[in-house]
Amino acid sequence: MRTPGGLSAVFSGFDQLVSSKPGVQGIAQFELQVCACEMMVSNLGVLPFDADFGDLRLEALWGPSVFVGIEGEQMIGAATVRGAIHLLHSSYTPIASLLETTEQVLRVAVS
């Protein structure tokens, strides 16, 4: 989806899906096969505002937390405040140690 052609193909797939008037099961199947959304990482990046508000100081922010609605999905939200990344793992059926493993991988990647 990082090119105009890729984005066009994605929209074309959604157009075909909607045109077929699928039920809930059809949409879920499309999500599982085409979108591959069992795990998602959403990174807000470095937050584009000052973390000091008069006498108040924002130390951390955990999020975002977004669910697509697929059974077993895993969501990791990331946001950077005051030079530190903050991770949030959201799931109705969380995978044990997923967040800790993600932290280890990120630490290796930046070292």
Side-chain angles (χ1 to χ4, degrees):
M1 291 194 297
R2 295 182 184 205
T3 66
L7 191 56
S8 177
V10 169
F11 282 126
S12 176
F14 279 110
D15 184 48
Q16 290 174 14
L17 174 70
V18 171
S19 297
S20 69
K21 298 181 182 179
V24 172
Q25 193 66 11
I27 293 171
Q29 196 62 30
F30 179 84
E31 285 284 333
L32 286 171
Q33 291 179 343
V34 177
C35 298
C37 58
E38 290 89 358
M39 181 173 176
M40 179 170 44
V41 175
S42 181
N43 184 2
L44 296 177
V46 176
L47 298 182
F49 53 80
D50 190 12
D52 294 315
F53 304 93
D55 292 339
L56 297 175
R57 172 186 264 186
L58 179 65
E59 294 289 336
L61 178 83
W62 285 273
S65 179
V66 180
F67 286 121
V68 177
I70 302 299
E71 185 176 339
E73 70 184 319
Q74 307 294 312
M75 168 64 182
I76 295 185
T80 300
V81 175
R82 305 186 72 76
I85 190 169
H86 303 276
L87 303 175
L88 172 70
H89 178 201
S90 303
S91 177
Y92 291 112
T93 54
I95 296 172
S97 75
L98 178 63
L99 190 56
E100 291 82 5
T101 301
T102 301
E103 178 186 5
Q104 291 170 3
V105 169
L106 290 173
R107 286 187 186 279
V108 168
V110 299
S111 62

